Structure formats: C-alpha cells, structure tokens
Amino acid sequence: MRILHTSDWHIGRTFHGHSTLAALAEVLDALVAQVREHGVDVVIIAGDVFDSATPAASAYTLLDDALVALHETGATVIMTSGNHDSAARLGFHSRLLRDGIHVLTDPLAIATPVTVHDAHGPVQFFGIPYLEPAIVRQHWSERGDADAEVAPPPLRTQAQVMHHAMALVREGMAANTGRSVAIAHCFAAGVDVTVGLEREVRQGGLDMVPLTSFDGPDYVALGHIHGRQQLSNRVRYSGAPLHYSFGEQHKERGSWLVDLDADGVASVAWLALPVPRALVTLTGTLDEILADDNVAQHLDDWVCAVYTDAVPQHEPMRRLRERFPFCALVQHQPEGADAVDDRSYSQRLRTAVTDVERIEAFLEHVRAGQGASEREAELIREVLDDRVRAEALV
C-alpha cells in the first residue's frame, strides 16, 4: 500500500496581511498530481486543515476542491483535526461525505479504525484528533479498572491524553487484524525546535509527548510542526505544504511517500512540492538592500528587509516596496545593538543626572542602543546652552 502523508494546510492563513489561498491552491494541485503520478492509495492529512475555527467560505471552497480532486485520483482520503481546526465544524459533514473520504474528529472513536485493503490484507488507520486535556478528560473519566489498586494519573497534559489515546489505538489494533497506521496532531519529544513551531504551542514551556507513546503502529503520521521531521523510521512529521513565515524559508515543502509491505514500512521517500513565491531575508543598510543587484535577483520574491542603519530611516516600507513589490516585513536592527548594556529605559533614566545624560538614555532607547554621534552630541550641547542663556534673560 502506498500512503501520502501531508499535514498543516492552514487554509485561510494570511502571510503578513496577504492572502495565501491562490498559492495554496497551486501547491495542492501539484500534490494531487503527485498522488496520481505515484499511484497513491491513501492520502493522510494530519490536522490543521484550516487556520481558524471559523473559516471563511473561500476556505471551505478550497478544501472541497482539493478533496474532490484527490477522490478523483482513486485514493482514499483520511483527515483529522488539529488545534487550529474546530473539530465539530470539520467533522460536521463527515457522515455525508462520499465513500473514500473520512474525517476523523471524535475522540470517542479513536479505537475504531478506517480499514483499507491491499494485496497483503487490511491496513487499519486510527485517527487521533487534536486533544485538549480540559475538554477530553470528561469523556475518559471512567478509564481504567475500577478494582485496580492504583488509580490512573489525571489527564492534565498533552502527554497524558496522547498516552491514553495511543492506548486506545493499541486496543483497536488488538481487536482488528492487519498492519496499522496512527495519525495525530501534537508536539512530540525529539523534534528540532528550529524548524518552525506553531505560534501558540504553549507559553512558558512546551508540552511534549514522549516518543515512546507512539509504540505499536507500523507508521505514525504526525502534524503540528511546519518543517519535515523524522523522529524514527516509522514516526514522522511532513510539515506544511506552504511557507507561512520567514523562519521557514529554508525548509523544503513536501510530503512523505510511504510504502507498506506485508511486514510494515518498506520504504519512505520525500516528495518535494513547488514554492509559488520564494522567501528571502535581506540584511544590510537600507541603501545596500535597495541596491540594483538585490532588486534584479529578488524582484518576484517575498522579501524580509532587516536594515542595520544606526537610526530608523524615513518610510522604509514605502521605499522598499517601490523596488520590491512583494516586500512583506521590515525590521530595524542597528549594528552593534547587542553590545549595549541590558538596563531598561527607566533604569537608565534613574542613573542620569544631567540633561545630556537623559537625552542620551532616550536616544539609546529609541535607536536600539545607538546613542548620539559626535556631531549630534555637539548640537545637543548647543541647544541646551541656548536654553540656559534664554532662561537667564527672563
């Protein structure tokens, strides 16, 4: 059996205020072509189908178009919900969908697989929707043996609810013969945190699920991380099909193509997807960034401009967009700013005695640590001296 593992479509997300629908539609068309070209039997979408719990109508239209196109290839589609999705909305029409398209959003049905057959027999697909502990623990309050001497731990963390969900998967595996695939949306231990985490994973600490929680299935298709990751030969993240931040610009976009034989995973290959518009970060003074060579190379790219001038420049975004139509982000990071002390503005003011020191503290605050230049310091002293003389005449 041949499986295509994708995730984190985030239909409806914007990129620095720009719609991504057209770009994502182009990428999903390429994904459908790959499904057809490689004779894929099952397409897995491991959560975060939408970017919002209340998607716009245009987002539903794009999803419908993609699902219809995938269905027309002859592949079975199995989709779960992520933390960005509303499980209720995503799963609302699941019973009405045509044969071969399955939307798995019910935590009470985790142990009930979708069964797909090949020449070697059945393959059981277990879908685990994103599990919010505060919501799902009410469904599993009766878990465990009532006569057991030790009560099971409370379900308060993502790791605890995923451990219980995977126990349900293993129960389902025991009750249904054949090979097995689990689909989940979470942050698994062992992930490289440089690849682009979800923006709201957890403030104040990452709630990680141990890799051992996924023991059992022949393959585990994960979503939630936007860069591809291989935690083991049988546990992987596919990442998002489109770049959604400049932090992801150097990460390939694509899907995992997984072949199962009679014994489990036979091979896994990476299928790269096209990038509709490349992302680039240009660093230097504003004049250096606006140089003709840069414009010639990056005229059609999404541009993040990090300019290093000592002081903020006038209307940098307007000037940049005159040269780079797709400039999406401007950041001011003066050279040498990291070398200044770490005192706050209020702390600097408290230690300032003279007006010159107070002005210097203000300039360092608004110019990322860059104080007055020699000529500026001279002008400041002249202005202050003129003020003193004027007050003396009153």
Side-chain angles (χ1 to χ4, degrees):
M1 179 174 293
R2 178 159 284 182
I3 300 167
L4 187 82
H5 166 198
T6 178
S7 72
D8 294 271
W9 288 6
H10 285 280
I11 303 173
R13 174 173 284 195
T14 58
F15 181 78
H16 297 281
H18 301 269
S19 172
T20 62
L21 283 176
L24 183 57
E26 178 182 339
V27 171
L28 293 182
D29 284 345
L31 185 145
V32 171
Q34 290 176 343
V35 169
R36 184 177 293 107
E37 175 188 352
H38 293 277
V40 171
D41 301 298
V42 178
V43 176
I44 291 172
I45 309 170
D48 277 357
V49 178
F50 292 118
D51 189 58
S52 167
T54 56
S58 56
Y60 279 106
T61 299
L62 179 54
L63 177 61
D64 289 347
D65 291 345
L67 291 179
V68 168
L70 287 170
H71 183 266
E72 289 175 348
T73 68
T76 297
V77 180
I78 301 176
M79 180 168 58
T80 60
S81 53
N83 56 304
H84 278 252
D85 300 308
S86 164
R89 283 190 173 89
L90 191 63
F92 179 72
H93 295 296
S94 59
R95 293 184 180 181
L96 305 178
L97 290 172
R98 65 194 71 192
D99 291 341
I101 300 178
H102 305 270
V103 183
L104 309 180
T105 62
D106 184 1
L108 297 180
I110 288 174
T112 304
V114 172
T115 304
V116 183
H117 292 266
D118 68 1
H120 302 292
V123 178
Q124 313 294 350
F125 290 84
F126 297 90
I128 304 174
Y130 178 75
L131 302 173
E132 182 61 50
I135 296 174
V136 300
R137 63 171 169 247
Q138 62 181 314
H139 300 306
W140 295 333
S141 59
E142 303 300 326
R143 66 198 175 96
D145 186 349
D147 298 325
E149 294 182 2
V150 179
L155 299 177
R156 294 191 178 129
T157 68
Q158 187 74 181
Q160 288 168 338
V161 295
M162 278 301 303
H163 183 77
H164 180 63
M166 285 303 301
L168 294 176
V169 169
R170 285 184 282 272
E171 289 179 11
M173 290 169 57
N176 298 274
T177 60
R179 295 147 293 164
S180 57
V181 175
I183 309 163
H185 194 89
C186 64
F187 179 57
V191 168
D192 178 1
V193 297
T194 66
V195 299
L197 298 179
E198 278 297 338
R199 53 181 176 248
E200 70 299 312
V201 168
R202 190 60 64 95
Q203 290 186 357
L206 299 174
D207 191 359
M208 297 185 293
V209 179
L211 187 57
T212 54
S213 294
F214 302 107
D215 289 348
D218 294 287
Y219 184 76
V220 180
L222 296 178
H224 196 44
I225 305 300
H226 284 190
R228 70 175 184 180
Q229 289 278 298
Q230 176 182 334
L231 305 188
S232 75
N233 188 51
R234 42 175 289 280
V235 182
R236 298 171 186 252
Y237 286 94
S238 65
L242 196 66
H243 290 113
Y244 287 114
S245 74
F246 282 101
E248 302 169 14
Q249 68 188 68
H250 300 300
K251 306 300 176 182
E252 280 193 86
R253 304 289 87 169
S255 309
W256 290 114
L257 188 67
V258 183
D259 282 330
L260 299 184
D261 61 16
D263 299 318
V265 175
S267 66
V268 182
W270 178 253
L271 290 184
L273 285 167
V275 176
R277 191 179 303 284
L279 282 70
V280 63
T281 298
L282 302 178
T283 303
T285 65
L286 190 58
D287 286 341
E288 289 170 347
I289 292 173
L290 293 169
D292 290 340
D293 287 348
N294 279 334
V295 175
Q297 294 179 62
H298 305 297
L299 187 64
D300 295 321
D301 297 342
W302 287 120
V303 171
C304 169
V306 181
Y307 72 95
T308 59
D309 299 74
V311 297
Q313 298 298 293
H314 182 63
E315 296 185 328
M317 179 60 89
R318 179 189 61 77
R319 294 169 62 187
L320 284 159
R321 283 188 173 167
E322 287 176 352
R323 303 280 276 163
F324 304 100
F326 301 101
C327 182
L329 182 63
V330 178
Q331 297 176 338
H332 180 217
Q333 294 182 9
E335 286 185 345
D338 294 338
V340 301
D341 62 51
D342 57 0
R343 293 178 301 163
S344 68
Y345 178 45
S346 60
Q347 289 172 329
R348 291 177 186 176
L349 282 180
R350 282 197 294 269
T351 60
V353 177
T354 67
D355 286 342
V356 170
E357 291 173 342
R358 295 187 185 96
I359 294 171
E360 180 74 5
F362 174 76
L363 290 175
E364 290 178 351
H365 173 64
V366 299
R367 302 201 306 202
Q370 184 71 35
S373 67
E374 184 176 339
R375 177 55 181 154
E376 288 172 338
E378 182 181 338
L379 290 172
I380 290 168
R381 287 192 296 270
E382 289 178 3
V383 170
L384 291 176
D385 289 344
D386 288 344
R387 188 197 67 180
V388 171
R389 284 193 290 271
E391 290 176 348
L393 295 173
V394 175

